Amino acid sequence: GVDVDGVLTSCDQPMLEAVAPHLTDQDLLAHNNWDVFALLNEEQLKQAHKRWKSSSYWKNLKPYPEAQKMIANLQKKDIEVFAVTSPWLSCREWEYTRRKWLKKHFNIDSEHYIPTRNKVQVYADALIDDKLETCEKWTNKWKFLGKRAILFETKVNFKSDWYPRIR
């Protein structure tokens, strides 16, 4: 399984650029926490939540080109790739928009799409995620079957000693 937000695209960066353009990469590195929105004040958070409610925000996210290549290479090898992602419940059209976005940018169809707020319960050969806590919990759940999550390295988790990881 592959997480979407943070692995296939950045849902954080466009939002931070829109509501908190003063934040720098140095701020994110110093924060060293997965929840970058903890850096926002109350007004900035209100602006962010308003944007997240719009399906156009999710529709217009740019995929990471490297992620597109990775997914295409896995699919060429007949490896089934499942998008495992936490839904944004504040956007009424989010699920429909996410399905279309995954099909358009990664050729991942609805049968290979798993929306869940609890990724730990999803069994797969591997899980690629940018949230260290999710990698730890998923691995603890499935390690008795020899499974281990793969951390997708980002600005806020690169100091972790988690292995394996990809960039």
Side-chain angles (χ1 to χ4, degrees), residues 3 52 56-57 78 86 91 94 111 137 143 149 152 159:
D3 179 30
W52 283 322
S56 64
Y57 179 79
D78 290 327
S86 295
C91 177
W94 181 87
E111 292 182 16
K137 287 180 179 180
K143 67 182 172 188
F152 184 81
K159 291 181 182 176

Side-chain angles (χ1 to χ4, degrees), residues 60-76:
N60 293 317
L61 289 176
K62 304 291 185 228
Y64 292 139
E66 303 84 11
Q68 287 178 301
K69 290 175 191 169
M70 175 185 72
I71 299 299
N73 285 336
L74 292 171
Q75 291 167 333
K76 283 179 192 170

Side-chain angles (χ1 to χ4, degrees), residues 70-114:
M70 175 185 72
I71 299 299
N73 285 336
L74 292 171
Q75 291 167 333
K76 283 179 192 170
K77 295 176 181 179
D78 290 327
I79 296 172
E80 279 192 288
V81 177
F82 287 83
V84 182
T85 186
S86 295
W88 288 84
L89 302 176
S90 63
C91 177
R92 296 175 76 188
E93 301 88 20
W94 181 87
E95 191 165 333
Y96 172 77
T97 303
R98 178 53 49 103
R99 287 177 191 268
K100 287 186 70 163
W101 187 90
L102 285 166
K103 182 66 176 168
K104 176 182 178 181
H105 296 290
F106 293 93
N107 197 31
I108 295 175
D109 60 31
S110 292
E111 292 182 16
H112 291 86
Y113 165 77
I114 304 171

Side-chain angles (χ1 to χ4, degrees), residues 3 14-15 28 36 47 50 69 84 88 131 133 135-136 140 144 148:
D3 179 30
M15 183 63 71
L28 298 177
V36 294
Q47 291 176 30
K50 184 177 179 182
K69 290 175 191 169
V84 182
W88 288 84
K131 188 174 182 181
E133 179 184 4
C135 289
E136 291 169 341
N140 286 336
F144 76 99
R148 186 159 174 85

Side-chain angles (χ1 to χ4, degrees), residues 1-3 79-85 111-116 118-128 134 137-149:
V2 179
D3 179 30
I79 296 172
E80 279 192 288
V81 177
F82 287 83
V84 182
T85 186
E111 292 182 16
H112 291 86
Y113 165 77
I114 304 171
T116 180
N118 190 358
K119 296 177 196 172
V120 173
Q121 298 303 320
V122 176
Y123 175 78
D125 289 329
L127 176 70
I128 301 172
T134 300
K137 287 180 179 180
W138 190 89
T139 297
N140 286 336
K141 168 103 176 159
W142 300 107
K143 67 182 172 188
F144 76 99
L145 292 173
K147 307 303 179 185
R148 186 159 174 85

